[in-house]
Amino acid sequence: MGRVTVRRPVRKLTADGRRRRADLLAAEEPLELRVGGKALAVTMRTPGHDVELAHGFLLSEGVIASRHEVFAARYCDGVDDQGRNTYNVLDLTLAEGVAPPETGVERNFYTTSSCGVCGKAALDAVKLKTRFAPGESSFAVTPEVLAGLPDKLREQQRVFASTGGLHAAGLFRADGSLLAVREDVGRHNAVDKVLGWALLEGRVPLSGCGLLVSGRASFELVQKAAMAGVPFLAAVSAPSSLAVELAEENGMTLVGFLRGSSMNLYTGDQRVVEPAAV
């Protein structure tokens, strides 16, 4: 399996002078996703939880809605210069009767770790309709619970603690407990991994959970949350204008700049309530 971290020599410059030392970097490797042997996408990701990533990707693209719609997932083909499997090609076989991805889902065979939408083959295919209805969820949390979430997420970011170079996504309950946390060099990959975990655990639709992300809230992350039925998205950093519009359209709550007791409620502020109302 690919390494999660890589050690590299660096020359460190400080006010006290220069010195050579080893630095720990977050690993970034390509993962080619195939469905039924046909290439669907290549994404740059941190190795690990690849099967979750693939399931989350197919869920957020509207290809599947449950774990039973994938018959099998297996690594194949990719080898290094010594003939060893790189575990960088993953082929998923859909269950009988499940329609393969439409042409619009195909990516231009490459997506960066920072952007999962810009490679769409057709712009009309960007906005997807969820099979679930996030707006119907009664999920609600208190400001106090929200205030404590970033620290809880950071405590579980083990690779970030070593490298400082990974994004994280976590699913949380109304009481602030974290169900699962995943890290990746790409924001969208971290979300796909944690949504894939939920799908494989039979927890989708996630109407009783919120999604917390360590960076900004983009259009794509809101869409991924909506496709899994998540009613509440909280981000440590800023949302984009399209993210706010899409969250409002889906009846979702979108919180940005979540830093301690300070936060901005952009949409769905009825889900942020006083303790007695939870």
Side-chain angles (χ1 to χ4, degrees), residues 86-269:
T86 61
Y87 296 98
N88 284 339
V89 181
L90 186 65
D91 191 5
L92 280 77
T93 303
L94 300 179
E96 186 176 353
V98 179
E102 297 179 1
T103 302
V105 175
E106 294 180 1
R107 311 251 175 177
N108 292 333
F109 212 62
Y110 176 78
T111 64
T112 70
S113 57
S114 60
C115 177
V117 155
C118 56
K120 284 280 191 176
L123 197 58
D124 290 342
V126 168
K127 184 176 283 189
L128 303 172
K129 183 175 177 58
T130 179
R131 304 188 199 187
F132 311 112
E136 297 178 1
S137 171
S138 60
F139 179 81
V141 296
T142 66
E144 291 74 19
V145 163
L146 287 171
L149 285 173
D151 285 343
K152 290 182 179 180
L153 186 71
R154 179 63 64 84
E155 289 171 2
Q156 295 197 34
Q157 289 181 252
R158 292 187 294 273
V159 182
F160 178 87
S162 301
T163 66
L166 289 183
H167 294 281
L171 292 170
F172 63 91
R173 298 186 181 93
D175 63 3
S177 57
L178 291 174
L179 284 170
V181 173
R182 293 292 182 266
E183 295 180 280
D184 200 275
V185 288
R187 288 185 298 270
H188 66 284
N189 288 338
V191 171
D192 277 342
K193 286 179 178 181
V194 80
L195 295 183
W197 171 87
L199 187 79
L200 291 167
E201 290 290 316
R203 293 177 178 268
V204 174
L206 288 161
S207 57
C209 293
L211 175 65
L212 174 66
V213 295
S214 61
R216 62 184 177 87
S218 64
F219 166 90
E220 184 190 25
L221 297 194
V222 173
Q223 179 164 267
K224 288 180 180 295
M227 294 300 285
V230 178
F232 199 117
L233 175 61
V236 172
S237 192
S240 69
S241 61
L242 280 179
V244 174
E245 290 176 19
L246 187 63
E248 189 169 49
E249 183 180 315
N250 281 282
M252 297 168 59
T253 298
L254 179 58
V255 173
F257 292 108
L258 177 57
R259 298 167 185 176
S261 59
S262 176
M263 64 196 77
N264 290 350
L265 310 183
Y266 291 92
T267 63
D269 57 359

Side-chain angles (χ1 to χ4, degrees), residues 71-82:
F71 176 74
R74 66 183 183 87
Y75 289 103
C76 57
D77 281 0
V79 295
D80 61 17
D81 54 6
Q82 297 182 27

Side-chain angles (χ1 to χ4, degrees), residues 21 186 202:
R21 54 170 292 229

